[in-house]
């Protein structure tokens, strides 16, 4: 199995508080992605990274920011969490462009 | 724009065959297929690349019609372990690291 871990795995927070989710990989893969999964919507791309300090927006990036200061870590930050950001967040890594994705186990976030 | 998957759900008896379809309105570079079991992360099954190269699971096959921008996943002699939600993910770039756009999923239930 690909070495990819997400933390925290579960979090409950209140509206307006900042939240940071961490994705850590041990595979030295260049590409990293954050997706959110909601019933009826499937997986939607939030942000992605194609190298250290190289990031770009996905289709649902509003309200989210990311950072990648090291190859192995990709952080997703909700500056001021809202109830609409209650979701399961998956990090994924890929060795090659358009290559297979390896997903982390997911982080379930509940915003009250 | 999300690819469209059909059917949304299918119930089969063990040993029966299933076909899951995925279509896009954009010119595709690659189509990926993933399976997700309840409460778990999506797992890679198959990738089909423009030009016909195919890589993936030995017991599951797929096709990619480049002219119609459609892909189909074939599950033959289904087993109980095939149950789950199947997602297609598409890339419409020439290999750029812009992530995959996933369909909303097809729920597959295999009954004994």
């Amino acid at each position: 199995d690909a070495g990819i871990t997400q933390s925290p795995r579960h979090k409950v927070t209140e509206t307006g508080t900042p939240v940071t989710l961490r994705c850590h990989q041990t595979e030295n893969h260049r590409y990293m992605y954050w997706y959110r999964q909601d019933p009826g919507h499937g997986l939607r791309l939030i942000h992605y990274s194609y190298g250290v300090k190289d990031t770009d927006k996905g289709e649902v990036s509003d309200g989210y920011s990311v950072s990648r200061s090291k190859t192995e870590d990709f952080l997703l930050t909700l500056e001021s969490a809202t109830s609409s950001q209650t979701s399961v967040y998956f990090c994924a890594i890929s060795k090659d462009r358009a290559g297979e994705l390896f997903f982390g186990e997911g982080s379930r976030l509940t915003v009250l | 724009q999300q690819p469209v998957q059909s059917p949304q759900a299918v119930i089969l008896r063990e040993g029966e065959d299933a076909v899951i379809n995925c279509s896009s309105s954009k010119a595709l570079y690659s189509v990926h297929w993933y399976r997700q079991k309840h409460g778990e992360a999506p797992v890679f099954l198959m990738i089909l690349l423009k030009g016909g190269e195919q890589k993936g699971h030995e017991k599951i096959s797929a096709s990619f019609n480049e002219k119609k921008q459609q892909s189909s996943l074939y599950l033959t002699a289904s087993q109980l372990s095939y149950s789950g939600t199947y997602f297609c993910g598409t890339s419409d770039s020439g290999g750029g690291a812009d992530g995959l756009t996933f369909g909303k999923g097809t729920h597959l239930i295999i009954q004994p």
Side-chain angles (χ1 to χ4, degrees):
Chain A
D1 291 341
I4 175 171
T5 55
Q6 294 183 225
S7 59
R9 294 289 314 282
H10 301 273
K11 186 173 182 65
V12 179
T13 191
E14 294 187 348
T15 297
T17 60
V19 176
T20 295
L21 305 179
R22 180 183 185 233
C23 178
H24 178 78
Q25 62 146 328
T26 58
E27 304 295 324
N28 200 35
H29 285 358
R30 178 180 177 187
Y31 305 102
M32 300 185 75
Y33 308 87
W34 277 108
Y35 285 90
R36 62 177 289 175
Q37 185 172 37
D38 306 288
H41 291 280
L43 293 151
R44 292 180 293 174
L45 182 64
I46 305 171
H47 280 280
Y48 64 95
S49 170
Y50 46 95
V52 173
K53 298 186 178 179
D54 291 324
T55 65
D56 208 344
K57 297 178 180 180
E59 63 178 306
V60 290
S61 60
D62 287 348
Y64 302 95
S65 62
V66 290
S67 66
R68 191 172 179 196
S69 59
K70 298 184 291 185
T71 298
E72 57 266 35
D73 289 325
F74 192 32
L75 304 179
L76 177 69
T77 298
L78 291 67
E79 299 291 346
S80 178
T82 67
S83 58
S84 65
Q85 293 175 313
T86 291
S87 186
V88 179
Y89 292 85
F90 284 100
C91 176
I93 62 174
S94 177
K95 181 179 180 181
D96 303 310
R97 285 179 170 183
E100 65 182 278
L101 297 182
F102 298 97
F103 285 86
E105 294 180 323
S107 295
R108 181 174 295 276
L109 175 67
T110 302
V111 183
L112 302 176
Chain B
Q1 189 173 3
Q2 283 183 296
V4 177
Q5 288 186 232
S6 63
Q8 289 184 321
V10 60
I11 300 175
L12 298 175
R13 293 286 183 187
E14 195 173 8
E16 292 182 335
D17 300 338
V19 180
I20 301 172
N21 301 301
C22 174
S23 63
S24 175
S25 59
K26 296 184 176 182
L28 300 178
Y29 173 75
S30 68
V31 179
H32 294 218
W33 287 96
Y34 294 80
R35 177 171 61 211
Q36 185 179 31
K37 295 188 177 287
H38 183 70
E40 299 180 4
V43 175
F44 171 80
L45 293 175
M46 183 82 64
I47 180 172
L48 301 104
L49 302 174
K50 185 177 180 180
E53 185 178 358
Q54 175 178 314
K55 301 182 249 186
H57 199 284
E58 60 183 24
K59 294 187 177 181
I60 297 173
S61 62
S63 64
F64 180 19
N65 186 323
E66 294 175 34
K67 289 185 178 180
K68 294 185 177 181
Q69 307 306 323
Q70 293 177 346
S71 178
S72 295
L73 185 71
Y74 306 96
L75 305 166
T76 57
S78 58
Q79 305 170 16
L80 294 176
S81 61
Y82 286 5
S83 291
T85 302
Y86 289 77
F87 293 97
C88 69
T90 59
S91 168
D92 60 6
S93 67
D98 56 356
L100 298 178
T101 303
F102 285 92
K104 294 183 178 181
T106 296
H107 301 283
L108 177 64
I109 298 173
I110 309 297
Q111 296 178 334

